[in-house]
Amino acid sequence: MDARDEPMPRLARRLETVLESALADSVSWTVTTDGPVVARLPDREFAFERNDSPDGYRWTVVLRADGAVVSKFGPFETVDGVVEQVESLVHSEVRYTVCCDG
């Protein structure tokens, strides 16, 4: 198997394609692959957690804003599912849920 076909490089390539298409030149963005794959926009970032199982890979998308976890999505069984989720969140408003015990 070619290294480009491995799950993490494939995810990074697909994210770059989707972000370029969805954002064009309207917003700056980066996709880093020097650790876990992370897609960064000015107001949010998406981190991708991969869990290996006997049935294959399962992905979780972690949405962060201002360094805090806002939400998690998944698990997804395919890179396509992960990328579709990010595509739907790129233009959405980032909202925090505030909860208290009292």
Side-chain angles (χ1 to χ4, degrees), residues 20-63:
E20 186 174 317
S21 174
L23 299 173
D25 293 328
S26 64
V27 175
S28 64
W29 55 270
T30 61
V31 174
T32 59
T33 58
D34 53 345
V37 174
V38 177
R40 289 183 177 85
L41 282 70
D43 65 340
R44 70 193 77 191
E45 72 178 26
F46 302 98
F48 304 92
E49 299 173 352
R50 186 184 87 187
N51 297 310
D52 299 338
S53 75
D55 297 328
Y57 303 111
R58 300 292 184 265
W59 302 88
T60 302
V61 178
V62 180
L63 173 60

Side-chain angles (χ1 to χ4, degrees), residues 11 14 18 21 45 73 76 100:
L11 172 61
R14 290 288 316 279
V18 164
S21 174
E45 72 178 26
F73 304 89
F76 299 95
C100 60

